[in-house]
Amino acid sequence: MAFQQMVQKNNVAIDSIRIALNELSKLFENSDQDKNSTLKWYKKYINFFEKKHSELGKGYVNLTVAKALCNKYYFAEGIPYYLLSIDNFSKSHNYQMLVKTYNGLSLAYHDFGDYAKGIELANLALKTFQEHKNEIDKNLLWYTYNNLGINYDDSKHYKKAIESHLNALPYGINASDSSYSYNNLGNTSKKIRKLEDAKYYFELALNSAKKDTSDVYQLASVYSNFLDIQRIVKNYSKANLLIDSAYFYASKSKSPEKLIDFYYYAYQLKNETNDYKQALSFLNQYTVLKDSLLNIDKAKIIYDYQIKYETEKKEKQIAETKLISKQKSIWLLLLGTIIFLGFILYSNQRIKLKQKQKQWYLENQLEKEQTNLKIQNQRIEISRDLHDSLGSQLIFMNSILDNLKSSDAIDNDVVKNKINTLSDFSENAISELKNTLWAMHSSNICLEDIRLKMLNFVNCATEAKEDIHFHLNFNILQNKQLDTKVAINIFRVFQEIINNAIKYADASSITIDLQQTKSSLLLQITDNGKGFDYELAKEKSYGLTNIENRIVEIKGKIEIKTAPKQGTYYKLEIPI
């Protein structure tokens, strides 16, 4: 109704504007559309509403573009349009559209991985609804609680996530809404190991989703989750029956997020049922797709734009605060000629102090955010420079060495051996560079990420040393987040121990046991190699000293048992 009133007020035909916005949306969703002509088309409609002085019209156009771009995971390009539409709808006092826009931006930040920002925006939508509930459709509460719930879930606030999804259910208006809520409740219940609750909610979600087969995104999510809960309760036959349907809808949804979930669940199922060939295939597809979504430059653009947007708002608040302070001072001065001079002067001083304190606070917050931005930019810049400079040089060097290895022109065995050694060193350097970039990318790393890194490392070792048998047992109870420093030290120590067992111990069997307790991570590694004199080796080996120093650095404990011809046992206990 608000849109119709806006169009009528500006003497524009409703149908023609609806058609225009629909065409604009299609242009942005069409991946073959020329970007310049699309931008020109967009500017045409923005300029139209600029001339009409219609903030509401500009809001609709900006929101259409934002949704189309973010739905295709172009977050760097789409989020600025969301921020513009928030300003447009705020200025036009259209609270219905403002709540919709907050919800859209909350979902975009969730898909981008900034869950704290997603929670903040969903709460802004709730606050707006509470202040203007008579002007807003109640069904928007379902969207708001749903967005709040999924952001709480992915930020590990599981109790709040369940509460939010239960709050959403009464405001759903169809089977699709209910299916989303049930699916989210099942997903959170699964994470906190309430498996019967999870199975119950997933069954409700699947039954609801089947009533509307056009929502392939939801069907992809429900089938993948239902597959995974059957795996967890060890109903492998039923889980295997669900694989084809889960893959069909995940592919049809064209959502990288849904495909990533499916590949990971399918990998776990095939690994547990000893179908290692299929398991490795799914794991490779999962890793490739997940790595392809990592784009440091786009992340930098989003954070830069968000900080710029918030900085401008705070600077405006500071300016307004100074203006208000000045106006009040003048008013109090005029009033002082009529009312008791001493009382007015006293009051004036208190008001000035409060305004200064507020101004200092805003300036301090602005300075903190600018400092955080500089730190984030430095980390991103270092990562990019390492990748572009050192990474490209290593790959180029490795390519030359591979060509030399296969060349018939070199018939000297000593030279060939040295070339092979250099090739191995360059491949290891590339692998180590990737691990370093992985650690630098974020301030926190999950236990599941470490487990996958360990598994990939073992897979590579297995390919290189086929005569060594690895026995793995990983038991991660809760996918906790670790500080980057702790995570990289754990992985580096693991690498060093496995490399020692492969290179020096002449081991034929290596057992790796990773157990998570309530307060610590217990890593035990055993090999059946030739062992060594620990006290003698400790004095000469930099590797052993480095292992112990890394564990001490993260406040962990290490125990090493070994003797000549008796193998080696490592026990590491790290607080988490």
Side-chain angles (χ1 to χ4, degrees), residues 9-48:
K9 183 179 178 181
N10 290 285
N11 298 317
V12 183
I14 296 173
D15 289 340
S16 65
I17 294 302
R18 282 179 174 162
I19 291 169
L21 291 178
N22 186 48
E23 289 178 3
L24 178 62
S25 180
K26 287 180 179 178
L27 281 169
F28 273 84
E29 290 173 1
N30 184 354
S31 59
D32 298 326
Q33 175 69 23
D34 177 70
K35 189 174 182 180
N36 290 330
S37 62
T38 302
L39 186 59
K40 187 185 295 183
W41 208 93
Y42 160 74
K43 286 181 178 178
K44 170 185 173 182
Y45 283 90
I46 280 293
N47 290 337
F48 170 80

Side-chain angles (χ1 to χ4, degrees), residues 272-287:
E272 290 181 18
T273 54
N274 301 323
D275 189 350
Y276 298 117
K277 184 177 180 180
Q278 281 287 327
L280 185 58
S281 174
F282 284 126
L283 179 61
N284 286 336
Q285 291 177 86
Y286 165 81
T287 304

Side-chain angles (χ1 to χ4, degrees), residues 40-247:
K40 187 185 295 183
W41 208 93
Y42 160 74
K43 286 181 178 178
K44 170 185 173 182
Y45 283 90
I46 280 293
N47 290 337
F48 170 80
F49 286 114
E50 281 279 6
K51 290 176 182 177
K52 294 290 184 179
H53 304 290
S54 173
E55 291 292 332
L56 192 57
K58 289 190 291 182
Y60 272 95
V61 175
N62 283 318
L63 180 58
T64 302
V65 176
K67 288 168 65 176
L69 290 172
C70 288
N71 285 344
K72 293 177 72 66
Y73 288 76
Y74 298 142
F75 299 112
E77 295 88 346
I79 284 178
Y81 288 104
Y82 267 123
L83 297 173
L84 288 172
S85 61
I86 285 174
D87 284 341
N88 297 143
F89 292 132
S90 296
K91 290 176 182 177
S92 62
H93 305 292
N94 189 307
Y95 303 109
Q96 170 95 354
M97 293 308 300
L98 185 58
V99 169
K100 284 186 178 181
T101 308
Y102 280 138
N103 273 308
L105 188 52
S106 173
L107 183 59
Y109 271 109
H110 168 268
D111 292 345
F112 178 66
D114 190 342
Y115 309 124
K117 200 70 186 175
I119 291 168
E120 177 187 331
L121 287 156
N123 279 321
L124 277 174
L126 274 179
K127 181 182 178 184
T128 305
F129 185 91
Q130 289 162 0
E131 292 173 349
H132 308 279
K133 56 186 176 183
N134 293 330
E135 304 172 53
I136 302 171
D137 184 352
K138 285 187 178 180
N139 182 238
L140 286 179
L141 276 177
W142 180 86
Y143 289 98
T144 304
Y145 281 121
N146 182 71
N147 287 333
L148 192 60
I150 61 177
N151 278 290
Y152 274 136
D153 177 270
D154 284 319
S155 58
K156 312 297 184 294
H157 295 93
Y158 298 123
K159 185 176 179 181
K160 290 183 177 180
I162 289 176
E163 181 182 341
S164 297
H165 290 309
L166 289 174
N167 285 337
L169 271 171
Y171 298 101
I173 60 173
N174 52 41
S176 178
D177 289 351
S178 299
S179 178
Y180 273 92
S181 293
Y182 289 135
N183 183 61
N184 290 330
L185 284 164
N187 197 38
T188 305
S189 298
K190 182 180 72 171
K191 290 179 180 179
I192 59 177
R193 311 305 291 179
K194 291 187 176 181
L195 301 183
E196 287 303 316
D197 288 352
K199 189 177 176 184
Y200 169 73
Y201 284 128
F202 285 141
E203 286 175 351
L204 289 176
L206 187 58
N207 290 334
S208 296
K210 287 178 179 178
K211 296 176 183 178
D212 180 12
T213 56
S214 63
D215 192 348
V216 292
Y217 181 91
Q218 174 62 357
L219 284 164
S221 181
V222 173
Y223 270 108
S224 291
N225 281 328
F226 203 52
L227 179 155
D228 193 47
I229 196 64
Q230 296 297 340
R231 173 195 68 82
I232 291 172
V233 299
K234 302 193 183 303
N235 191 348
Y236 296 126
S237 59
K238 190 164 185 178
N240 275 302
L241 290 174
L242 292 164
I243 277 190
D244 289 341
S245 296
Y247 177 69

Side-chain angles (χ1 to χ4, degrees), residues 483 485-487 489-490 493 519-522 546-559 571-576:
D483 180 79
K485 183 178 180 181
V486 173
N489 274 332
I490 293 172
V493 168
S519 59
S520 65
L521 196 66
L522 184 63
N546 194 32
I547 287 172
E548 292 184 345
N549 288 342
R550 283 187 181 274
I551 296 300
V552 169
E553 191 176 353
I554 57 177
K555 298 180 181 179
K557 297 177 182 178
I558 182 169
E559 179 184 347
K571 180 181 178 182
L572 313 175
E573 188 173 358
I574 301 102
I576 56 174

